[in-house]
Amino acid sequence: DNEFFFNQNSTEILAEDAVKIIDNHSKGRLGKDESKWYSPMYSFSHEECQHVVKILFGEIINNYDDLTQNQKKIYNEFFIQIARAFQDEMAKNFNKQDLGINNGDDLIYVGVIENKRVIKGDDKLLRNKEIDLKVNNEKFGFNTHIHIIQSRKANNEKQSKISPMTKYKERNSDNFNNNSRGGFNRTEFVINLEKTFDKLTKYDRNYSQTF
């Protein structure tokens, strides 16, 4: 849907430049068998997206393609701001503030917003025969999701190695000098993303939509 990638400071990164940003930052300090980058994806429900449309345009719209071109531009720009806020939470959740990793500026990443999904053979709507669907048709409604490609190395002075796959553990004074946390708590991360989305959009999340 979008010609450009974005990062924490730009919204007009060409695909070839996005590749260079990640590959150039991955050089050095990483072994040949180490991951050079990882790829989180932020997916939003139809209801969350509809809520964003309502706060942006003051009306209920049922399908992404029913937005005007100008509305699509505004809508995608808003989700870029959400993605940047999510990346701020990503940085915090590494628990490496002592190394200068505090927010999205301290991560090297590129992202792209997509608004379409196609129906696949194992889609639950097909299995449940809820509506007449065909495989490879586009799904109706809002299917906004954001792909992130993030370098294994942070954007701090030491270019520290970071990974959301690192096992989280509490560190206490019994085996360290002071109480601290290490690793990446993925459960806490998802909860914080929900809170961030709800704060930015004033979304009233019901219990069934809570992680």
Side-chain angles (χ1 to χ4, degrees), residues 135-174:
V135 175
N136 295 327
N137 281 2
E138 288 183 5
K139 288 185 178 181
F140 185 82
F142 287 90
N143 299 287
T144 301
H145 53 288
I146 303 172
H147 292 278
I148 301 289
I149 303 294
Q150 184 168 302
S151 174
R152 176 72 189 279
K153 295 194 298 184
N155 191 33
N156 62 341
E157 184 177 355
K158 294 184 177 181
Q159 294 194 351
S160 304
K161 296 179 184 180
I162 52 175
S163 170
M165 304 307 295
T166 304
K167 187 176 181 180
Y168 172 80
K169 59 183 175 181
E170 294 281 352
R171 294 173 171 174
N172 55 51
S173 55
D174 293 335

Side-chain angles (χ1 to χ4, degrees), residues 29-30 33-40 42 87 89-96 99 101 106-108 149-156 159-169 171 181-187 189:
R29 295 197 64 243
L30 293 173
D33 295 326
E34 286 189 276
S35 298
K36 306 300 188 294
W37 48 268
Y38 43 87
S39 181
Y42 303 128
Q87 287 298 97
E89 291 300 321
M90 169 81 76
K92 293 175 188 175
N93 207 64
F94 285 117
N95 297 301
K96 292 184 180 293
L99 297 178
I101 304 174
D106 303 316
L107 306 175
I108 294 293
I149 303 294
Q150 184 168 302
S151 174
R152 176 72 189 279
K153 295 194 298 184
N155 191 33
N156 62 341
Q159 294 194 351
S160 304
K161 296 179 184 180
I162 52 175
S163 170
M165 304 307 295
T166 304
K167 187 176 181 180
Y168 172 80
K169 59 183 175 181
R171 294 173 171 174
R181 299 188 296 176
F184 194 92
N185 188 327
R186 292 187 290 279
T187 297
F189 178 54

Side-chain angles (χ1 to χ4, degrees), residues 6-200:
F6 67 88
N7 61 14
Q8 203 74 359
N9 301 300
S10 176
T11 57
E12 296 186 351
I13 302 172
L14 294 172
E16 56 265 33
D17 293 326
V19 172
K20 291 176 183 177
I21 288 171
I22 300 300
D23 284 352
N24 289 343
H25 195 72
S26 298
K27 294 177 180 177
R29 295 197 64 243
L30 293 173
K32 65 177 183 178
D33 295 326
E34 286 189 276
S35 298
K36 306 300 188 294
W37 48 268
Y38 43 87
S39 181
M41 182 174 69
Y42 303 128
S43 295
F44 303 88
S45 70
H46 173 77
E47 291 78 15
E48 288 171 333
C49 296
Q50 264 196 327
H51 175 74
V52 169
V53 169
K54 182 72 180 299
I55 65 173
L56 290 177
F57 310 120
E59 59 181 319
I60 296 175
I61 297 176
N62 294 317
N63 190 43
Y64 177 77
D65 285 336
D66 292 335
L67 297 173
T68 67
Q69 287 303 116
N70 187 55
Q71 285 176 328
K72 288 179 180 179
K73 182 175 183 295
I74 294 170
Y75 175 88
N76 287 317
E77 287 174 347
F78 188 84
F79 270 98
I80 287 175
Q81 297 308 314
I82 290 175
R84 287 170 172 164
F86 282 8
Q87 287 298 97
D88 286 338
E89 291 300 321
M90 169 81 76
K92 293 175 188 175
N93 207 64
F94 285 117
N95 297 301
K96 292 184 180 293
Q97 287 78 9
D98 57 324
L99 297 178
I101 304 174
N102 299 294
N103 54 49
D105 287 321
D106 303 316
L107 306 175
I108 294 293
Y109 75 91
V110 294
V112 66
I113 295 176
E114 295 184 357
N115 290 294
K116 296 180 180 179
R117 290 188 186 277
V118 297
I119 298 164
K120 298 180 180 179
D122 61 348
D123 193 286
K124 70 176 182 179
L125 292 178
L126 285 176
R127 295 198 303 272
N128 296 337
K129 298 182 180 178
E130 294 178 14
I131 51 178
D132 184 21
L133 296 172
K134 294 182 179 179
V135 175
N136 295 327
N137 281 2
E138 288 183 5
K139 288 185 178 181
F140 185 82
F142 287 90
N143 299 287
T144 301
H145 53 288
I146 303 172
H147 292 278
I148 301 289
I149 303 294
Q150 184 168 302
S151 174
R152 176 72 189 279
K153 295 194 298 184
N155 191 33
N156 62 341
E157 184 177 355
K158 294 184 177 181
Q159 294 194 351
S160 304
K161 296 179 184 180
I162 52 175
S163 170
M165 304 307 295
T166 304
K167 187 176 181 180
Y168 172 80
K169 59 183 175 181
E170 294 281 352
R171 294 173 171 174
N172 55 51
S173 55
D174 293 335
N175 50 9
F176 287 88
N177 292 332
N178 50 34
N179 291 333
S180 62
R181 299 188 296 176
F184 194 92
N185 188 327
R186 292 187 290 279
T187 297
E188 186 175 289
F189 178 54
V190 176
I191 292 171
N192 287 338
L193 294 188
E194 285 185 353
K195 291 178 179 178
T196 299
F197 179 89
D198 297 350
K199 182 179 180 180
L200 289 174

